Amino acid sequence: MRGLIADWGGVLTAPVHVAVRRWVESTGVLHDHYLAVVRRWVDPGPGVSSPVHLLERGEMSLVDFERELASALAAEGSSVEADGLVNAMFADLADYERSMTSLVGRARAAGVRTALLSNSWGNDYDRTDWDELFDAVVISGEVGMRKPEPEIFTLALQRIGLPARECVFVDDLQHNVQAATRLGMAGVVHRSYEDTARELAGHFPGAPWIRAGSEEPGQLL
């Protein structure tokens, strides 16, 4: 293996469900109402247009999406201000999960080609240190594709210049990992730093960067 491709939210940050849970608690939105809306939009069924899919591809503006989400939540029985909704929802994702970013940085320093592959909800990313962490960056809303569409994985592979069989993809969503493995990549469903490091050790046998410095996760590199 010569390449490591990683998701952003839930892999290089705190778990997404933790950020959302804190958001619903702070706003008074019922978690069940949020889940009812998002589940319909994430898996809308054949022929049904999804605001989530449109936003992730950059085909819907963030302002329009926030209005759609606020309206859908209100229809469920939870009222919330539309303006700034997404950034408030993902506020806890602004801080990187240092053990994972450190791992990616060590991989790149050791000669592994690295890429970020993220589905964006139009929210801002802190791109500090990205030049040191990644050889390539693919953000769904910037390229007009989204995971798990195969084309976005192909683009990530093209940008780091490696074939699928030489790359490992790490994501917190199983269906995204399955999409990557169908293209020939190795896949890791991220649950924790320890679990992911253990699985990566099987794909990069003997690689010292997987564990080196892991006891000091306070720095990116």
Side-chain angles (χ1 to χ4, degrees), residues 8-10 12-16 19 22 86-98 101 123-128 130 220:
W8 177 71
L12 302 183
T13 74
V16 174
R22 290 176 179 169
V86 168
N87 280 332
M89 185 188 309
F90 294 145
D92 284 354
L93 302 188
D95 295 327
Y96 282 100
E97 209 291 297
R98 299 297 177 172
T101 52
N123 48 303
D124 296 328
Y125 292 80
D126 178 2
R127 304 192 183 210
T128 306
W130 278 18
L220 279 177

Side-chain angles (χ1 to χ4, degrees), residues 17-69:
H17 69 87
V18 172
V20 169
R21 176 70 72 175
R22 290 176 179 169
W23 172 76
V24 298
E25 289 173 353
S26 68
T27 58
V29 170
L30 292 184
H31 195 241
D32 286 348
H33 292 170
Y34 170 82
L35 289 179
V37 173
V38 171
R39 283 171 178 164
R40 288 199 304 269
W41 288 1
V42 169
D43 188 13
V48 179
S49 179
S50 163
V52 165
H53 295 185
L54 293 174
L55 179 68
E56 288 179 339
R57 294 193 195 101
E59 297 169 351
M60 174 180 280
S61 73
L62 178 59
V63 170
D64 287 343
F65 176 82
E66 289 177 330
R67 290 172 180 164
E68 290 269 356
L69 181 54

Side-chain angles (χ1 to χ4, degrees), residues 119-180:
N119 278 356
S120 170
W121 276 33
N123 48 303
D124 296 328
Y125 292 80
D126 178 2
R127 304 192 183 210
T128 306
D129 297 309
W130 278 18
D131 288 343
E132 288 74 35
L133 284 171
F134 307 114
D135 293 290
V137 171
V138 178
I139 305 296
S140 66
E142 297 174 1
V143 299
M145 297 174 276
R146 62 180 292 274
K147 296 176 292 185
E149 295 167 352
E151 294 82 4
I152 198 168
F153 295 100
T154 300
L155 178 61
L157 293 168
Q158 290 172 348
R159 288 191 175 180
I160 60 172
L162 292 173
R165 66 180 181 276
E166 295 182 4
C167 293
V168 181
F169 175 64
V170 181
D171 196 292
D172 61 323
L173 297 180
Q174 186 170 12
H175 65 268
N176 289 336
V177 172
Q178 289 172 338

Side-chain angles (χ1 to χ4, degrees), residues 204-218:
F204 297 90
W209 54 266
I210 294 176
R211 290 293 179 179
S214 61
E215 71 279 0
E216 297 181 358

